[in-house]
Each structure stands twice: as structure tokens, then as C-alpha cells.
Amino acid sequence: MAILYSLIARGSVVMAEFSGTTTNASTIAKQILEKIPGDSDTHVSYSQDRYIFHVKRTDGLTVLCMAEDNVGRRIPFAFLEDIHQRFVKAYGRAIHTSPAYAMNDEFSRVLSQQMDYYSNDPNADRLNRLKGEMTQVRNVMIENIDKVLDRGERLELLVDKTATLQGNTLRFRKQARRFRSTVWWRNCRLMFTLIFVLLIIIYIVLAFVCHGPLLPSCF
């Protein structure tokens, strides 16, 4: 799974989160929430080891996810934008007063579903390519996490590699199935074309042998 962890928060109050693997990303993410400078809307990314924490804050609502560094920025920020819209639509004004984890039971399932979609479904990236990469995402600089956390506060990021490998294996199997399906349809079309051409050749030969209009007399 390319996106391994996500949360949505008001300030430093986490209202829902989900982790697709065994990791301490939640602890580090909460540190980041407390240290993000200013109150204005922002798009920022922080790297730690081979993983990147992507953050989108709009109107006081912060959506954060942790993804593998080879995923790039377009997919994680498309995911964050999607989650932000779904959360606001689902809970409206309640997001301004809800206590910590008030929406976790319900919305963690949405986080899980969308993390899987943006990690494994090629249509997720294809759709965003058609829309064009968001301007604010192109301008996001990926900084080291030391920029927001003091070295004494920084924790070692722990990620269960087994779950990550399983996610990679699942993506490979899906890609392999799509490839086999594409090859099968291509072979079918080629076979139908050859059969059609062969039938035309047979018809032409029979028509020539039987002198054109007299073709039915050959049977």
C-alpha cells in the first residue's frame, strides 16, 4: 500500500485516523500537528527515512497522510483533497466542536477505503492526470522532518515491512491480471481478423472457380 497512514484533525485534535500497517506514524503525525507553523491554509510535506508526511490544512481542518517516498506528490495530495471534501460533506459544522476521535468509528472506514483506492487503483492517478496536477502541489517543497520537529523530539519511524511488501505484492498481482486480460483480448481480436480474412479468401477462390454469379451452383 503506497499510502500507509492518514488522519484528519482540527488543530491538534484528531477526529479520525487509520493505519494500513503496524507503525508509530500516529505519534509522529501528532507531533507534526502541534508544530505546523501559523494558522493559514497550507500544503507541506516532510520526509523521514523512506517515507513522507503530506499535510493539507484548509479552514482550520488538517488532513495528513504518510506515504512511501516513491509515490510522489500528486496522488497523496489528491487523496488529502478527497478526504477533506468527504469529511466536510459528512459532518458539516460538527467538525468545529467535536471532541477527539468523535468520528473515528465511522470515518476510519472511509480513510481505509480511499487509502486502498489511491494506493492500488490506476484510475485514481489517471483521473488526476486528466484534471492536471494542482498548482499548490507543484509548489510544495519536501522538507526534512527536522524542519518542524526538534532533534530531541524526533522519534524513529517504525513501519512493519511485511505489510508494505504484501501491499506491493497485491499491486503486482493486479497489474499482472490486467496484463493477461489485455493480451487475451488482443489475441482474440487477431484470431477473429485472421478468420475473417480467410473466409474472404475462400469466398473469392470459390467465386473465381464457379465463374462469379454461378457460385451457388457449386453447392
Side-chain angles (χ1 to χ4, degrees):
M1 181 177 287
I3 300 176
L4 304 173
Y5 169 82
S6 64
L7 67 73
I8 188 160
R10 182 187 67 250
S12 60
V13 178
V14 177
M15 290 180 281
E17 68 178 339
F18 180 80
S19 179
T21 185
T22 303
T23 176
N24 64 339
S26 175
T27 302
I28 297 174
K30 291 170 185 175
Q31 286 182 312
I32 293 175
L33 290 178
E34 295 174 354
K35 295 291 184 175
I36 297 176
D39 297 320
S40 58
D41 294 354
T42 185
H43 295 75
V44 63
S45 297
Y46 299 106
S47 66
Q48 182 170 1
D49 302 327
R50 296 186 299 103
Y51 303 94
I52 299 179
F53 290 85
H54 301 279
V55 183
K56 168 185 166 58
R57 183 170 60 195
T58 306
D59 298 329
L61 192 64
T62 302
V63 190
L64 176 152
C65 71
M66 184 189 77
E68 297 169 341
D69 59 2
N70 59 1
V71 177
R73 295 173 297 180
R74 182 175 55 249
I75 291 178
F77 275 99
F79 165 78
L80 296 180
E81 178 67 25
D82 182 19
I83 291 300
H84 179 273
Q85 292 178 2
R86 289 172 182 269
F87 194 79
V88 171
K89 182 178 180 180
Y91 301 108
R93 295 181 179 180
I95 63 179
H96 300 296
T97 57
S98 298
Y101 292 98
M103 293 83 168
N104 194 63
D105 287 346
E106 182 179 43
F107 203 75
S108 61
R109 292 193 291 270
V110 177
L111 293 174
S112 173
Q113 293 168 0
Q114 296 310 106
M115 282 168 61
D116 180 69
Y117 172 70
Y118 281 91
S119 296
N120 299 314
D121 195 324
N123 289 322
D125 192 33
R126 188 176 300 120
L127 178 62
N128 287 292
R129 285 180 184 273
L130 291 174
K131 291 180 178 179
E133 192 171 351
M134 295 178 291
T135 302
Q136 62 267 33
V137 173
R138 290 199 298 268
N139 294 331
V140 170
M141 297 297 293
I142 299 178
E143 300 179 337
N144 191 281
I145 202 167
D146 289 333
K147 290 280 187 177
V148 67
L149 299 182
D150 296 332
R151 289 187 180 275
E153 296 177 312
R154 176 176 169 177
L155 299 175
E156 180 184 1
L157 178 60
L158 304 175
V159 177
D160 184 354
K161 299 296 191 300
T162 302
T164 302
L165 290 174
Q166 289 175 344
N168 292 336
T169 300
L170 179 60
R171 287 199 299 276
F172 174 78
R173 288 176 178 172
K174 288 183 177 180
Q175 291 170 355
R177 284 197 296 269
R178 286 195 298 270
F179 176 76
R180 287 196 297 268
S181 177
T182 300
V183 172
W184 186 83
W185 279 110
R186 187 180 301 163
N187 290 339
C188 286
R189 287 195 296 269
L190 178 60
M191 183 179 298
F192 290 146
T193 301
L194 291 175
I195 293 174
F196 181 72
V197 171
L198 182 60
L199 290 174
I200 291 177
I201 292 174
I202 293 174
Y203 179 84
I204 292 173
V205 171
L206 290 175
F208 178 77
V209 171
C210 298
H211 306 291
L214 300 179
L215 177 60
S217 65
C218 294
F219 299 94

